Every structure is written in structure tokens, then in C-alpha cells.
Amino acid sequence: MKRNIRKFSYSTDVKAKLIYWASQYDPCVILDSHSTENRDYPLGFKYELVLGVGKYDELSSNEDSFEKLKEFHSHERDWLLGYFSYDLKNELELVSSKNEDHHNLPNLYFFVPETVITVSNNEISIECLTQSPKDVWNEISTIQIHSDSTNDFVDMKPRMHHAEYIRGVKSLLHHIQIGDIYEANFCQEFYVENAEIEPFGLYQKLMQTSPTPFSAYCHFGSKYLMCASPERFMNKTGTKIISQPIKGTAKRSPNVEEDAQHKLDLFHSKKDRTENVMIVDLVRNDLSRTAKRESVKVEELFGVYSFSNVHQMISTILSELDSKHHFTEAIKNAFPMGSMTGAPKIMATELIDQFEHTKRGLYSGSVGYITPEGDFDFNVVIRSLQYNAENRYLSYMVGGAITHNSDPEEEYVECELKAEALKKVLGGV
């Protein structure tokens, strides 16, 4: 079907209405780059805001998912919004996970939205399949925003206690020492059962605490994601592919001089540089499988950028997609992203499943959009809350890269640092 499209002037006071309006739909995906809050990091989602609501058609898959996505996009030739779950990896390699799954999501899910709204260059574009864009705009303009109440305090429990986490890190260090792997991203889960929460209200609080360039709010039936990610997985514009892995984290300080020193220390950190360059090499290899010859380049190595709660070390890798490859192949060959697995990727994922205690669900997966032309932008789902309203299970995961010079106690402290914004939102700090 052809979309009805109209454009309207954008102002910052409209943003809250756009997001609140979209949040009332199922399915719903809200992607927000928070460009005004992240001036130090000029790159985020290509659009200031992308909203996709309602369902004209959908694809839910647990096998041959990338081939089905290719066929689905070729058939629809429309906007697709959705996700790749971390366990999509089990379709790509001979790996599996026997860990508990509390969120029970399909490996891949995309839908064709009834209405897509994008914000770019101070302009709102409303694209509808069945409605009038003018009617949608009038509805948004007159909407009354109601404050959503959430629990004052949600007491999250660790799935893995401190001593067990330390044992896991030491076991991974042993595998590194004997040459099985070079690096592994080891994560732990915090959770609560029988949680009575209002997901969108939690998302709003999370964005107040941590407005990030790849944030997302998703509602798919009884499943919710509230994501404050600073990391891009992959972007395609035309034939240009960009991947921006994060490896390296340092805390912020309210003291300007101390904060600057933390940033400088991160830039010169041997451990963080080692982690970062390993993943850069892995991403270069992943992109080369679908790239034009000699087009894979590292545009920036060890860039350090500041966000509301942390400094991050981010590298940028570029490539040109070879015309003989469909865009879904570029995603498939790089998934799951090296920053959330380790290297070599297959062995690292096997060990991750061995030492972690729960399936990651959307954590370490990716949320984003695909345009009718086959351009796309996807984040890395980190710093995120997942909620299953059916069984009232609320959780988040945090982790870090384990390399030969990792100190187990320092890795635990880094996990706590990454979880700080989530703890604040849940009333635990």
C-alpha cells in the first residue's frame, strides 16, 4: 500500500506529546537519539525521533529468520520496525543455550506500522497507511499527557551472587590463558518476580536519568523494553555501512577537573584499549564478508565520549556494501555484535552460555528500523530494563569484557557502574 505523507513544523515542546501518543499503541517502537542532550556525541539514530505504531503486517520467527526478513522486506517494500533477540545467534551457528528464559521472545520480530513518524531537521513527517496524517497530527497536538505512576522502590535480586561472579571471571580467565578465547563479554542478571510496574513511566524516568543516543521504548503484546543504550550496532545509508562498538567505561564526576581526568585515564587505559581493539578487529572481519574489496576502514579508534552517567570508548568502522549482497546479509554476518560476545565469537558465546545463568532475551540484541529503500539503523540493547507483563518478571543485565589483564573485582565494580542509572530509576540508589 502507498503511504499518505504530510510534513509539519517541529518544536521541542511537541516531542513529549509525540512520544506519549505513540506509547499508547501495541505494537509500538520509539527510537530517540536525544540529540540536544548528547552534543558531545554527534552521532545517534539517523533521525532525532522515529515512532512506529499499529500493525499492518508482521514477521515473527524462530528459524531461517534472516531469509524470512529478506523476503518480508522484498514483499512489503515499506518501513519495518522491530528487533533481533540475542538468541538469534543459535540459528547462525551450532550453539544453543539451556539457561532459563523468563521473557520468551521470538528470535526476530518486525512489523509494518500503520503509522510512522520521523523527526529530522526541525520537521515532522507523518506517514500513514489508512489514516489521514492531518487527523493524526490533530490528535497528537491536542493530547493531554498524564503522569504515569510507578513503584517507589523495586528491590532487584542478583541472579548471580558476588562470589559466583568472581568464580565465573576466573574461569573465563583460565580459558583465555589456555588459548580458547581472547575475550568474553560476561554478564549477570538482576531481577524481581511479581513486579507491578508501569513500563512507560519507568522509561520516562530512565530517560530523565540517562538520555542516550540509541534509546528505545518497545511494546510488543505483554513484552516491554525500556532501553538507554549509548551504542550503535550498525547503520546503512545507501551502500555505506557504519558500526560503532563500545569497549571501555569510566565514571563521571561532578568535579570538572576530576571528570576530565577520568576521561583522560580511560583514553590511556591499556586494558580498555586492548578490549576495544580486539572488537574492532572482529567487526572489521565481520563487515569484510559483505563489503566491496578494500572498503573496510577504521574511521576512529579509541574515541572517548561523555554521557550523563559514564564516559565511553567508542571506535567507528566503515565499509561499502557489495552489490552482490543483500542488506540483511551484512546484519547476519555481524550478529551477534562482537562487543557483546567476545572473540573468537563462537567459542566466546559457548562459554558465555556456560557461565551465565539466564537467557539474555533482548539484552545484547538489537532494536531499530529498516526503510522501504533498505537503509537501516540498529542499536545494541544495553543499559535496559525488560518486562514480561504476562508473568510480571522485571530484569536487567550488566556485564563487561574479560581479557587476560582483567581483575575480577574491578570487573564487578564496572558492572555496578553500568547499572547505576537503572538502580536510580528503580529507587535503589
Side-chain angles (χ1 to χ4, degrees), residues 389-404:
E390 187 175 359
N391 60 13
R392 296 186 296 168
Y393 188 88
L394 177 69
S395 70
Y396 67 81
M397 297 187 75
V398 288
I402 310 303
T403 62
H404 73 280

Side-chain angles (χ1 to χ4, degrees), residues 12 33-43 211 213 305-307:
T12 53
S33 71
H34 292 281
S35 59
T36 56
E37 292 93 340
N38 292 292
R39 298 183 189 278
D40 184 52
Y41 185 61
L43 295 173
Y305 294 91
S306 302
F307 301 95

